[in-house]
Amino acid sequence: MLKINNLNATIDNKSILKGFSLNINPGEVHAIMGPNGSGKSTLSNILSGKKGYETSGEILFEGKDLFELETEERAHKGIFLAFQYPLEIPGVNTNIFLKTSLNAIRKARGEKELDAIEFLKLVKEKSKDLKFDEDKLNRQLNVGFSGGEKKKNEILQMSLLAPKLSILDETDSGLDIDALKIVADGVNTLRDKKNSFLIITHYQRLLDYIKPDFVHVLMNGKIVKSGGPDLAIELENKGYENFN
Amino acid sequence: MKEQLQKDFNNIIKDFSLSQKDIEIKKFFLDNFINRGFPNKKEEDWKFSDLNQIIRKNIGELSFYSDYKSTNKVDTSIFVDGLEHNKIVFINGRIEKIDFDYEKKDQIEIIDQSETINEFNNNSLSDLNNAFTNKSFKILVKEGYQLAKPLIVYHTTNTKIWSKNINLRLDFELNKNSSLRIVDLFNDTSEKNFLNIFYNFELKENAILKNYKIDKFENKNIKYSFNNIDQEKNSISETFILSSGSNFVKNEINCNLKGKYSSAFVNGILSLNNDKHHEIRSIINHLTENTKSYQLIKSVLENSSKAAYQGKIFVNSKAQKTDGYQLSKAILLNKDSEFNAKPELEIYADDVKCSHGSASGSLNEDSIFYLMSRGLSYQQSRELLINGFLLDVVEKITDSEIKNLIKNLIGIKE
């Protein structure tokens, strides 16, 4: 599904990713762990098409060169990034945003756009599953939401848009244990033979609830070690320093 | 310009049966205007908008003679649908229709006041207006009467326009406990004209005025609009300005809070593209204790457009417990767009609460990335963010019918 070969990325003349390679097949869950500044967020930004990076190397998504696609086209093709810091958008009603987003993606997929009633039914159902406060849907997008509510809102968007590849950028940071379980449930519900996940995290904690197929250690811009779920536990015990 | 002014003025004198006294007064204002000319950037109030140059560049030589004898056909297709309203229709500066069909006839007086002239401010445009407005009306709302429906004033110009400059004037007297909602709707198909509009409002005790000025439709005209609002005890004035369609507009609001507990609200949107240049100038005079003013102005500027906001809060020594607030925010969508803000606080009382703020910047690229990562196009994301930015100004409109009208005009969806 996703093939990254020898990806290099620099921003403001600072080299962040240095020969990063990764292969994700349909249905797989990959976790990337790494210390601050190792390039985790840069990776998720580049995958979703954020501007400002100088890049070389190759990223193929379902065989297509990702660099040829704009941010919204990547979303249309089924790439979703749950933001580490979801943005507050004043004056934009959450429901209107969600409906605009869902219909943009449905349209791109050649599916019928949902009318207001169909949409509300769906969003209420999904909110209930995620224990996301329905009143928030009528508020301005993320404005005045707590950290946990913002993260849940990301997972709500993920479950509405049903992407093929979901990238979770430190979604677990700032979450209490209840919220963490809800977020994990959201991921596990979407998990099947076709959908893949790339989970970026500092800690092993989230991986207790979302069992990854592969764990990679990202240090200084590239993967220094890959393994199974046990690698996460090993990391937690030994710390990153021993992988240098 | 002087010869043209004299010539057109003599034509008016010749064509209309004005009293000798009237002619003398008008002549006085004409001479004043001839002496002073159009305001230019040397005057502090006009430093961001040199009207003299703007007129020269956009129009060239002006003519001032308005043909008030021949009537214009009222094009009813311009009337707002789905909102019952009273109407005043100006076509090319001539008043063609005054209709208060929805109101009790004995509660409103329409007074032909072409023979009385008030001085407004020290601005040469009021001289011009006084010299050339030869027919104006005063709308008087009687004590305790609250109009059932809003009044829409249609400011229409078309290609049959007679002179390059149009001056018009309306006066309103809102007596005790009365209320009036006015929407000024500009609709221009003429090109390169200068409209010089003066409104004077007298708000008696407990009177409520809501004035919504909507210049939304694209046109090449130059406009100056001046509102003078005198407010007595407990009266409220709410002014909302949507400034967008014309090549140049300067809206000036001069508000005198003369009575205790009177309050003034001035909110506005400057949404400009291309080479448009608009300004809002407000002066709120707090002249007695316990008065309140609130102003929120937001600008969205594209291409080489230019906007300015000069907001002054004046508090005299008697005006203790004044509460004055103003904030302006601007989004510049291009590097060559320009926003100027000049907030002024002039305070002579010691127990007051006054604040002002001004901020300008570009659209947040991270927000655009966030929205695009959810499948929205760049254009959709931009529109959503701009509408979101403007929403809180629109939400300040206290009249829900007119709020919806304006939301539809701007394209804000709910």
Side-chain angles (χ1 to χ4, degrees):
Chain A
M1 174 178 283
L2 181 75
K3 282 196 171 75
I4 306 175
N5 292 320
N6 196 26
L7 177 65
N8 294 288
T10 56
I11 189 162
D12 302 330
N13 292 324
K14 201 177 160 215
S15 177
I16 312 278
L17 293 177
K18 302 160 190 167
F20 180 95
S21 297
L22 181 69
N23 202 348
I24 300 179
N25 293 312
E28 289 177 356
V29 175
H30 290 245
I32 290 189
M33 301 181 72
N36 292 329
S38 57
K40 303 193 296 297
S41 288
T42 298
L43 176 65
S44 57
N45 283 340
I46 286 173
L47 288 176
S48 5
K50 189 167 186 177
K51 303 268 186 308
Y53 296 96
E54 268 179 58
T55 52
S56 66
E58 183 184 51
I59 308 177
L60 297 173
F61 181 71
E62 296 188 314
K64 201 159 175 37
D65 181 358
L66 210 54
F67 288 123
E68 283 178 9
L69 300 177
E70 289 296 328
T71 300
E72 82 270 28
E73 293 171 316
R74 299 182 195 198
H76 297 162
K77 294 253 181 270
I79 294 179
F80 179 89
L81 168 64
F83 278 56
Q84 182 180 3
Y85 303 109
L87 281 102
E88 297 188 3
I89 315 280
V92 175
N93 175 286
T94 304
N95 256 335
I96 290 180
F97 159 70
L98 293 175
K99 182 164 170 265
T100 311
S101 163
L102 179 60
N103 279 337
I105 284 174
R106 288 182 70 95
K107 197 176 163 192
R109 284 185 197 149
E111 294 168 4
K112 189 178 113 359
E113 293 181 43
L114 297 188
D115 64 29
I117 298 164
E118 293 166 323
F119 169 76
L120 277 178
K121 192 168 166 268
L122 180 69
V123 77
K124 281 189 174 182
E125 212 174 276
K126 299 281 186 194
S127 303
K128 212 174 153 194
D129 290 345
L130 292 166
K131 297 192 173 64
F132 183 78
D133 180 8
E134 266 181 45
D135 291 346
K136 296 266 182 315
L137 295 171
N138 270 320
R139 297 250 303 266
Q140 299 183 25
L141 182 56
N142 288 330
V143 176
F145 288 22
S146 72
E149 286 162 345
K150 285 180 185 168
K151 294 294 176 75
K152 274 197 209 169
N153 192 3
E154 295 293 288
I155 301 302
L156 172 66
Q157 291 167 38
M158 184 183 82
S159 77
L160 274 173
L161 303 179
K164 291 177 186 163
L165 173 68
S166 303
I167 305 156
L168 278 67
D169 188 2
E170 298 196 23
T171 300
D172 52 338
S173 64
L175 289 188
D176 61 35
I177 200 76
D178 294 335
L180 197 69
K181 279 181 191 163
I182 290 166
V183 165
D185 281 350
V187 172
N188 290 328
T189 310
L190 206 61
R191 203 169 167 175
D192 67 13
K193 279 183 197 151
K194 284 179 283 177
N195 296 334
S196 311
F197 293 86
L198 179 60
I199 294 166
I200 293 169
T201 182
H202 271 301
Y203 308 105
Q204 183 261 338
R205 195 175 63 151
L206 180 64
L207 306 178
D208 287 341
Y209 301 98
I210 307 170
K211 275 275 161 274
D213 300 303
F214 301 94
V215 173
H216 311 277
V217 182
L218 179 64
M219 301 275 287
N220 200 18
K222 62 180 173 194
I223 289 174
V224 293
K225 190 167 184 179
S226 297
D230 294 345
L231 182 57
I233 297 163
E234 190 187 335
L235 259 178
E236 191 85 355
N237 294 333
K238 291 185 182 165
Y240 290 112
E241 285 204 358
N242 295 311
F243 288 88
N244 248 331
Chain B
M1 185 170 73
K2 189 179 165 186
E3 291 74 33
Q4 189 71 40
L5 281 162
Q6 294 282 13
K7 195 177 125 211
D8 289 342
F9 187 77
N10 291 338
N11 278 330
I12 289 177
I13 306 296
K14 201 173 69 192
D15 285 2
F16 296 91
S17 48
L18 299 167
S19 68
Q20 195 51 43
K21 184 177 160 245
D22 232 20
I23 292 172
E24 272 169 33
I25 296 169
K26 281 181 174 296
K27 184 85 179 61
F28 168 80
F29 286 114
L30 176 71
D31 290 341
N32 271 357
F33 182 73
I34 288 172
N35 278 335
R36 300 168 77 185
F38 285 107
N40 63 57
K41 66 178 172 208
K42 286 179 196 151
E43 294 168 52
E44 185 65 17
D45 275 2
W46 293 85
K47 67 176 193 177
F48 298 121
S49 311
D50 188 327
L51 187 65
N52 192 38
Q53 221 176 68
I54 288 165
I55 286 178
R56 204 159 13 141
K57 218 173 82 185
N58 285 272
I59 306 178
E61 282 302 309
L62 288 180
S63 56
F64 306 89
Y65 179 64
S66 297
D67 175 18
Y68 289 108
K69 284 181 172 170
S70 61
T71 57
N72 299 283
K73 198 173 169 294
V74 176
D75 173 11
T76 55
S77 71
I78 61 159
F79 292 160
V80 170
D81 258 350
L83 175 70
E84 291 181 333
H85 59 278
N86 305 294
K87 296 172 186 72
I88 292 181
V89 182
F90 283 103
I91 299 176
N92 298 334
R94 187 183 191 278
I95 210 160
E96 297 292 349
K97 192 181 176 79
I98 301 183
D99 147 9
F100 282 93
D101 283 358
Y102 293 96
E103 310 303 330
K104 287 184 188 156
K105 293 288 166 289
D106 60 344
Q107 295 299 311
I108 296 169
E109 268 183 58
I110 298 160
I111 302 160
D112 184 338
Q113 57 163 22
S114 53
E115 291 190 13
T116 58
I117 295 170
N118 292 328
E119 264 192 272
F120 272 108
N121 60 5
N122 58 6
N123 169 330
S124 67
L125 294 173
S126 71
D127 296 330
L128 179 67
N129 193 280
N130 281 326
F132 285 94
T133 307
N134 59 351
K135 191 151 194 76
S136 80
F137 293 90
K138 180 176 200 170
I139 315 289
L140 185 147
V141 183
K142 289 191 178 165
E143 184 173 331
Y145 188 66
Q146 293 161 358
L147 274 79
K149 301 291 172 191
L151 164 66
I152 300 189
V153 182
Y154 292 95
H155 298 269
T156 313
T157 64
N158 60 39
T159 47
K160 290 179 185 152
I161 194 160
W162 187 268
S163 69
K164 283 286 175 193
N165 166 231
I166 283 173
N167 296 284
L168 57 92
R169 155 94 184 266
L170 277 177
D171 286 56
F172 296 87
E173 183 179 324
L174 275 66
N175 282 291
K176 199 172 164 186
N177 295 323
S178 67
S179 75
L180 173 65
R181 296 173 281 166
I182 307 170
V183 180
D184 287 292
L185 198 58
F186 291 90
N187 205 325
D188 303 80
T189 53
S190 74
E191 283 206 355
K192 300 182 175 181
N193 294 280
F194 171 54
L195 279 68
N196 186 25
I197 302 164
F198 278 75
Y199 280 7
N200 186 37
F201 296 94
E202 280 174 75
L203 273 59
K204 299 282 163 45
E205 194 175 333
N206 289 327
I208 300 174
L209 166 72
K210 298 180 182 182
N211 183 201
Y212 306 98
K213 296 182 173 294
I214 303 174
D215 177 60
K216 172 67 186 161
F217 307 121
E218 290 292 309
N219 70 88
K220 298 269 179 235
N221 287 333
I222 308 290
K223 290 170 187 155
Y224 174 71
S225 163
F226 182 88
N227 271 18
N228 183 69
I229 309 171
D230 286 339
Q231 295 189 227
E232 290 182 12
K233 194 176 164 189
N234 272 326
S235 62
I236 300 171
S237 72
E238 174 184 328
T239 307
F240 175 88
I241 296 162
L242 173 60
S243 201
S244 180
S246 304
N247 256 14
F248 171 86
V249 179
K250 178 161 174 164
N251 266 293
E252 204 162 326
I253 309 294
N254 189 68
C255 202
N256 300 312
L257 299 171
K258 293 174 168 172
K260 286 180 188 171
Y261 303 105
S262 56
S263 51
F265 300 85
V266 179
N267 298 308
I269 289 174
L270 297 149
S271 173
L272 307 179
N273 57 22
N274 303 329
D275 294 318
K276 287 174 186 166
H277 176 170
H278 290 203
E279 175 173 339
I280 293 176
R281 165 74 167 141
S282 67
I283 302 176
I284 312 287
N285 294 308
H286 293 263
L287 303 174
T288 190
E289 59 196 63
N290 281 302
T291 55
K292 181 181 173 177
S293 67
Y294 181 99
Q295 304 180 68
L296 177 64
I297 308 293
K298 287 201 171 179
S299 306
V300 176
L301 308 175
E302 200 172 356
N303 301 330
S304 319
S305 63
K306 194 173 158 185
Y309 169 56
Q310 301 193 69
K312 179 171 180 175
I313 300 173
F314 174 87
V315 181
N316 79 3
S317 58
K318 282 185 285 183
Q320 302 295 356
K321 309 272 185 214
T322 287
D323 184 358
Y325 176 88
Q326 62 161 270
L327 178 66
S328 100
K329 284 189 175 178
I331 289 183
L332 285 77
L333 295 171
N334 301 80
K335 284 202 179 85
D336 47 4
S337 51
E338 184 182 323
F339 180 71
N340 292 292
K342 197 183 97 183
E344 290 172 88
L345 299 180
E346 194 176 333
I347 300 171
Y348 298 100
D350 49 19
D351 184 15
V352 300
K353 196 171 87 184
C354 282
S355 63
H356 67 81
S358 180
S360 56
S362 51
L363 269 187
N364 185 333
E365 286 299 321
D366 288 339
S367 300
I368 289 184
F369 173 59
Y370 184 59
L371 297 175
M372 286 178 75
S373 79
R374 300 304 185 246
L376 277 67
S377 66
Y378 180 78
Q379 198 56 31
Q380 271 178 315
S381 308
R382 211 176 85 140
E383 274 170 25
L384 213 53
L385 290 174
I386 290 171
N387 284 345
F389 172 73
L390 296 177
L391 186 70
D392 62 346
V393 194
V394 180
E395 289 298 340
K396 294 276 181 268
I397 297 172
T398 55
D399 187 273
S400 58
E401 281 180 319
I402 292 162
K403 188 183 350 192
N404 286 335
L405 177 76
I406 289 172
K407 275 186 178 172
N408 285 335
L409 275 172
I410 309 178
I412 290 181
K413 289 183 213 123
E414 280 188 290

